[in-house]
Each structure stands twice: as structure tokens, then as C-alpha cells.
Amino acid sequence: MNDPQTIAPPPAPLTLHAADGFRLGGVVWRHRTHAVDGAPRPLAIVNAATSVRCRYYFRFAGWLHRQGWDVVVYDYRGIGESRPERLAGLYATWLDWGERDFEAVLRHAREAFAGQPIDVVAHSIGGFVTGLAPSGALIRRVFTVGAQYAHWRDYAPRSRLPMLLKWHAVMPALATLCGYVPAKRLGWMEDTPRGVALAWSRSRARFEDTYVRAPIARSAEERAALVKRLANCAAPILAVSVTDDPFGTIPAIERLLGYFAGAPRTHLRIAPAQIGVEEIGHFAFFHSRFETRLWPLALRWLRTGSLGPQTPGIVISARNINVDAPEHAAQ
């Protein structure tokens, strides 16, 4: 998709408000024209990983913009551009990030980018967040990387014990002591709302069972509605995982995909050696060094909803969709 423009406007700050009035901040890359090659120009929204600032995805967003998309990246409440003055008073959970924050971005996209197809690129918890928005029917296609909701039994066996100690013992203790997780000074991630820390540390095999105790409790009716909402999502999903990601194991990815019962969904698993590198892990997909090796996977899926014949990796599962399986199996 080649844009006829020779000069594109620079990215611009974005400010919007969720339905409850919470102020959200982000950045938008937008072309001067709303159509390309005679068709409406697509818009991509990037849903970040837990407590990762939206600026982490700037290089990927800029690249996707150069491929012809308008792009919106934003921070969930409590993070980066959406952090309030006093984080200790914020009790947001992952559910708020989806039901309120991503929902606000979708509603903004419907109005500000009227008539343009809306795609989502989601990293880690961002894949879960994608299914929580009431306006999910607006989404055309979804591309996820390492998307899961941190149920401890799904962690890679070699990493499970230290991850349990860090995320399910130390993190909630800090949240209780400080009113939030001062993760930045520990070099973990961005400072994190208490509710997110509690949801993570309590994460159950069925995500809805995580939200049965105060202060993050939801009623039985609310939990059932959330499950139904994910099942009603219809946008085709390509879920990419890598073999050296301790969060994005096969059980973890498949557990989340199981909730998207109404969507065509494909799970593609890649080994680092298949693209000539030693490691990728949970975060590196969005590093610029993978611009030519991994980013085209996202581009092709968003553009066509299909996998190319030379796609690295192996298809772990493909439900309600026809894809050409890659030639090589991950080890």
C-alpha cells in the first residue's frame, strides 16, 4: 500500500476521555488523506502490554504509518501519558483498561476516522483488553503478540518459580504497602495501579474467577457479560507466539483464544532460529531490528487476513479460517 504523499505530517499528541471522565493520553500518526488507492485508509490501534508505555511502540507505529495506515497508540489509565498525579488512589484493573480505556479509543476512532477500517495490534495483555470493549464490533482484524492474561500455571516451567515470586508475591505485597506498585524504580516496568497488580497476582484459569474478591470484585452478572463479550468478538485474529517467551506459552495463548469463540483465530508459533536470531522473548517483536523479519507478518495479516507462503513458524491452531500453513515447524 503505497501512499502518494511525499511528505507526511508528524505524529501528534492525542487526548481523550473515557466514559467515566478519566483523561487518557496518546499519540496519533495520521495521513493528510482519508483514502488510499481509492479505498478508505485503514486505522491501526496499538494495545500495549501491562504497564508498558505507548512510546515503546512508536517505531513500529511509525513504520506501519509508512505502509499506509493511520495509527493510534495510547496509554491505559495509570500509565505514562494517562497517569494521574496520585497513582496510589487509582484502583484500575485490566478490565478497566478494556471496558473503559480501549472503548474510549474505539469510540474516538469511529468518530474521528469515520468510514475507515479499524485494525488492532495487541501485545500481551493488550490481546485480552481487545475483547473487553463493548464497541468491539467496529474492529476489522486483530494481530496479537504473546497475548495472554498471566495465569501462573501457563508460565514456562523453567521460569515459573521466579515469576511466581515476583508477580504473585512481591508485586501484590508492594501494591498493598504503597497503594500502587513502584515498579519503575525496581527496573521492572512502569509504576502500576494496585488493581492491576491484584488482578495479575490473583489470575485464575478462567479469567472471570479472578474478580470475585474485593477490592476488584465484579458481580456474577458482570463476569458473565464479560465472557459473552469476548465470545461475541468476530474480527479475525492472528495470535503470534515465540518459543522463548515465558509468558506466551502454547497453553497461555490457547487459553485466551478459547474465549474468542465467535472469531476466526489462528495461532502461529515461531522459534527465534527460524528467523536467524538467538532470542526474541516477550518484548522484542516490536524492536526495530525485526522490521524486516517479523513486522511484515503484522502487515500482511492486517492487509489481507492471511499468512504468506514463506511465513516462519508453525500453525498451532486454526479455527474457522482457511490459511496456508507455513512450511517449517518450530522446535
Side-chain angles (χ1 to χ4, degrees):
M1 185 181 296
N2 295 318
D3 195 309
Q5 300 172 159
T6 57
I7 300 177
L14 173 68
T15 300
L16 49 88
H17 292 84
D20 63 349
F22 197 96
R23 178 194 172 280
L24 301 170
V27 176
V28 58
W29 283 257
R30 189 166 193 172
H31 292 271
R32 301 185 189 279
T33 61
H34 304 311
V36 61
D37 297 334
R41 184 184 303 282
L43 165 70
I45 301 171
V46 178
N47 281 345
T50 297
S51 301
V52 175
R53 296 189 69 163
C54 68
R55 65 178 58 179
Y56 182 78
Y57 306 93
F58 278 11
R59 288 176 180 166
F60 175 81
W63 175 84
L64 194 56
H65 178 255
R66 293 193 295 274
Q67 311 311 311
W69 269 254
D70 290 333
V71 186
V72 169
V73 300
Y74 69 103
D75 284 313
Y76 308 125
R77 61 184 63 199
I79 309 300
E81 303 302 316
S82 303
R83 176 172 176 156
E85 291 185 8
R86 186 173 181 271
L87 188 56
L90 182 65
Y91 289 89
T93 71
W94 286 327
L95 302 186
D96 296 299
W97 287 358
E99 288 184 299
R100 297 181 177 183
D101 301 349
F102 178 48
E103 172 68 9
V105 177
L106 276 179
R107 287 178 177 268
H108 170 77
R110 182 182 61 189
E111 297 172 3
F113 299 84
Q116 297 179 232
I118 300 173
D119 299 322
V120 176
V121 175
H123 182 202
S124 193
I125 201 64
F128 177 53
V129 164
T130 298
L132 297 173
S135 297
L138 295 172
I139 303 170
R140 179 180 66 166
R141 296 189 185 102
V142 178
F143 178 89
T144 72
V145 179
Q148 36 65 52
Y149 52 86
H151 175 51
W152 69 271
R153 290 185 183 275
D154 294 337
Y155 295 157
R158 67 184 181 278
S159 305
R160 188 173 297 152
L161 181 57
M163 291 173 72
L164 272 169
L165 291 173
K166 181 176 181 179
W167 303 121
H168 299 261
V170 176
M171 181 175 65
L174 288 171
T176 300
L177 179 65
C178 304
Y180 71 102
V181 183
K184 192 171 184 178
R185 71 188 72 174
L186 298 174
W188 293 0
M189 53 190 180
E190 292 296 310
D191 294 343
T192 301
R194 180 187 178 198
V196 170
L198 293 179
W200 188 339
S201 64
R202 297 178 184 180
S203 189
R204 300 292 184 263
R206 297 288 301 177
F207 85 84
E208 61 271 26
D209 295 336
T210 303
Y211 301 91
V212 297
R213 292 190 291 123
I216 62 172
R218 295 290 187 97
S219 70
E221 292 77 13
E222 288 173 322
R223 297 196 303 273
L226 290 170
V227 173
K228 184 177 180 180
R229 191 174 298 157
L230 268 72
N232 287 340
C233 292
I237 302 168
L238 176 59
V240 172
S241 68
V242 297
T243 57
D244 64 334
D245 178 358
F247 288 104
T249 62
I250 291 176
I253 305 299
E254 291 293 311
R255 189 180 301 279
L256 177 57
L257 285 177
Y259 278 97
F260 290 91
R265 53 215 193 273
T266 302
H267 178 185
L268 175 69
R269 192 159 180 83
I270 300 172
Q274 292 176 302
I275 61 168
V277 300
E278 294 184 359
E279 60 183 6
I280 302 172
H282 189 59
F283 291 99
F285 181 99
F286 295 96
H287 289 186
S288 56
R289 68 177 180 272
F290 290 122
E291 177 178 335
T292 60
R293 294 173 174 176
L294 290 176
W295 293 2
L297 290 175
L299 180 64
R300 182 181 175 95
W301 182 262
L302 298 183
R303 184 177 284 167
T304 69
S306 66
L307 300 178
Q310 301 303 316
T311 301
I314 183 172
V315 172
I316 300 297
S317 62
R319 285 160 281 197
N320 303 321
I321 191 168
N322 294 319
V323 298
D324 295 324
E327 300 175 356
H328 305 293
Q331 301 297 318

